[in-house]
Amino acid sequence: MRPAFLLALALSAAAAVPHAARAEGASPTSTIVVHAARMLDVETGRMVADPYVVVDGERITSIGGSAPAGARVVELGDVTLLPGLIDVHVHLTGDPTDSTGNYYQDALTQGPMDSAVMAPTFAKRTLDAGFTTVRNVGADEYIDVALRNAINRGLVTGPRMLVATVPIGATGGHVDETTGFAPNIEFHGVTGVANGVDAVRERVRENVKHGADVIKFMASAGVLSNETSVGAPQYSQAEMDAIVDEAHRWGRKVAAHAHGTEAIKMAIRAGVDSVEHCSFIDDEGLKLAKQHGTYLDFDIYNDDYILTEYAKLGVPQAQIEKEKLVGRVQRENFRKAVQAGEKMAFATDAGVYPHGWNAKQFAKEVQWGMTPLQAIRSATTDAADLLGWKDQVGALKPGYYADMIAVSGDPLADVSVLEHVGFVMKGGRVIRAAQQP
Ligand SMILES: [Zn+2]
């Protein structure tokens, strides 16, 4: 077990600042100062000793060598402060822990209402693990919009969210829920299935109308669905072009799910902002991504979870066999992408494995070619850049949201310390003040 953080006590002690100090008006009472032994400046890679991070309301106002007189000080002690982490590929509306262990029973007895009930729990687990911002790239029935709005209003505790709402895809493809079921089976509700240039444009508009911050579509087949191929393109070039054109017209970035070599290149040529999974990307795909400035989001942790746990969940063997085709190659291609100097953001597909385990991917990223600093940047500055929130989150700087975490030890020496976050602040509010066993 790791040493407990003692800051909860420090926080209450610091609150007892003499009234006289406040009366002198040195600083407003809403000011909180977070003090730790070290802070990682993720932009320079420098470790800053003994920082005092001054927070007023939701934002950082300054970082210096001492606390303003009268301010409440949160003493964290011998820990490393970092910006709150960002995961650009999660699904907060589901998780293997809510499975009955029978795939078809789940499909027939669980609906979007179950997802809506569970989503706040998954959001809280994610935030407690130090992920203060996430991009949710696919949810049923606009549950992600409702969750984002409730979090923004302070009614639910969870990370900042950018949401894609209902992913768009072809009939028989990765979003078509009845693929593999008898032809007379049909699910009611909002569907992302759309075919043809006009229909996909309409689907983009529909998602924007109902609150999408970003557009997600399926450029290729997938693993955890019943179509037979894992990587074949599922849209024509004209359909992909139309989706991206329409989304960008509405000021929305586009994330394309693509495992297959050709689908990845088609999506990049269409102008997507990020490719998700990227499993079978080839040298030409890497070159194209670089030319277009496309982010490549490899989810290289969850393979371990799928291969050890999914048979127990009753997931059809054909899907598990598809994962076996993807896992190793995807990691080898992750290494190639790192070596090629591609833009890469931290994307885990949390929801495929339990929420809150997101940070397990850091060690995989280092194992497959990133330095610890590159891995940390993938989940801070680089992820923020992909989201379009570069001046808001992903760094500890004046003007940025006061989203920060603390860990024992040095994440530049051992990135796995990020799996044990002891302190979480989001928007100036302490979410988690002590290490949990
Ligand atoms: Zn996903």
Side-chain angles (χ1 to χ4, degrees):
M1 197 180 293
R2 275 150 204 274
F5 283 87
L6 297 172
L7 61 99
L9 304 169
L11 198 143
S12 51
V17 167
H19 285 279
R22 277 191 208 141
E24 276 153 37
S27 72
T29 50
S30 66
T31 300
I32 298 182
V33 180
V34 180
H35 178 221
R38 296 168 302 279
M39 177 184 82
L40 178 62
D41 180 333
V42 290
E43 287 179 332
T44 63
R46 237 167 26 93
M47 201 62 89
V48 178
D50 220 23
Y52 287 80
V53 183
V54 182
V55 176
D56 207 337
E58 289 190 295
R59 306 259 178 183
I60 296 169
T61 52
S62 64
I63 301 176
S66 62
R72 193 157 69 97
V73 180
V74 179
E75 286 290 352
L76 297 182
D78 184 21
V79 296
T80 307
L81 266 185
L82 297 104
L85 303 169
I86 303 168
D87 191 334
V88 304
H89 190 133
V90 305
H91 302 277
L92 290 179
T93 46
D95 178 310
T97 59
D98 65 14
S99 166
T100 62
N102 180 319
Y103 179 84
Y104 289 101
Q105 185 177 329
D106 287 348
L108 297 174
T109 63
Q110 312 262 315
M113 53 296 286
D114 298 285
S115 306
V117 167
M118 290 307 294
T121 300
F122 299 143
K124 179 69 163 58
R125 280 181 199 164
T126 303
L127 182 57
D128 281 344
F131 286 80
T132 50
T133 300
V134 298
R135 187 176 66 162
N136 204 85
V137 282
D140 291 334
E141 303 288 335
Y142 307 106
I143 294 167
D144 51 352
V145 173
L147 181 64
R148 176 200 65 195
N149 293 349
I151 289 170
N152 287 347
R153 292 177 63 203
L155 303 173
V156 167
T157 302
R160 297 179 199 290
M161 291 179 74
L162 273 96
V163 304
T165 72
V166 184
I168 301 168
T171 294
H174 193 48
V175 298
D176 191 341
E177 287 176 313
T178 53
T179 306
F181 287 76
N184 61 315
I185 301 285
E186 188 180 298
F187 294 122
H188 293 278
V190 177
T191 174
V193 173
N195 301 287
V197 165
D198 290 342
V200 297
R201 282 189 187 275
E202 186 180 355
R203 205 68 208 64
V204 169
R205 292 172 187 168
E206 195 76 25
N207 281 356
V208 171
K209 170 181 167 180
H210 293 299
D213 302 303
V214 57
I215 297 299
K216 162 89 176 287
F217 78 92
M218 305 306 182
S220 88
V223 174
L224 301 175
S225 49
N226 291 321
E227 70 268 35
T228 49
S229 151
V230 60
Q234 291 190 334
Y235 269 140
S236 66
Q237 188 68 57
E239 288 168 313
M240 293 193 204
D241 291 351
I243 291 170
V244 176
D245 177 63
E246 195 63 38
H248 284 175
R249 191 205 310 282
W250 291 86
R252 302 305 193 275
K253 292 195 179 196
V254 181
H257 157 111
H259 289 284
T261 311
E262 194 50 39
I264 291 168
K265 290 189 268 198
M266 291 168 74
I268 294 171
R269 288 194 191 103
V272 301
D273 300 276
S274 67
V275 177
E276 309 301 302
H277 309 300
C278 310
S279 308
F280 299 113
I281 193 166
D282 64 2
D283 290 344
E284 192 193 5
L286 291 171
K287 221 165 138 189
L288 275 174
K290 214 154 187 199
Q291 278 167 10
H292 285 78
T294 316
Y295 268 91
L296 301 178
D297 299 340
F298 288 80
D299 50 324
I300 58 166
Y301 161 69
N302 65 51
D303 179 56
D304 287 19
Y305 189 86
I306 292 171
L307 295 184
T308 57
E309 300 298 324
Y310 267 42
K312 294 176 214 163
L313 302 177
V315 170
Q317 192 57 31
Q319 294 187 17
I320 297 170
E321 292 303 320
K322 285 198 283 181
E323 179 60 30
K324 288 181 187 164
L325 297 175
V326 166
R328 172 91 196 179
V329 178
Q330 187 190 28
R331 291 172 181 188
E332 285 163 0
N333 286 334
F334 173 91
R335 189 196 293 280
K336 282 188 191 163
V338 174
Q339 285 166 349
E342 302 289 343
K343 290 181 170 183
M344 296 166 80
F346 190 89
T348 69
D349 221 351
V352 164
Y353 66 89
H355 293 288
W357 293 18
N358 314 56
K360 286 179 185 283
Q361 184 163 294
F362 286 111
K364 291 286 173 197
E365 291 190 349
V366 171
Q367 186 188 340
W368 289 92
M370 281 186 173
T371 64
L373 182 61
Q374 282 178 312
I376 292 166
R377 282 179 179 157
S378 76
T380 53
T381 48
D382 295 337
D385 180 48
L386 170 58
L387 302 188
W389 285 0
K390 206 178 175 177
D391 53 352
Q392 306 286 320
V393 297
L396 296 177
K397 287 165 83 171
Y400 281 55
Y401 280 115
D403 293 354
M404 63 189 104
I405 62 169
V407 293
S408 320
D410 178 0
L412 295 181
D414 176 8
V415 81
S416 73
V417 299
L418 294 169
E419 293 170 25
H420 307 279
V421 168
F423 168 80
V424 180
M425 172 178 273
K426 181 194 159 204
R429 192 181 141 213
V430 176
I431 300 296
R432 186 165 163 185
Q435 185 78 351
Q436 284 161 13

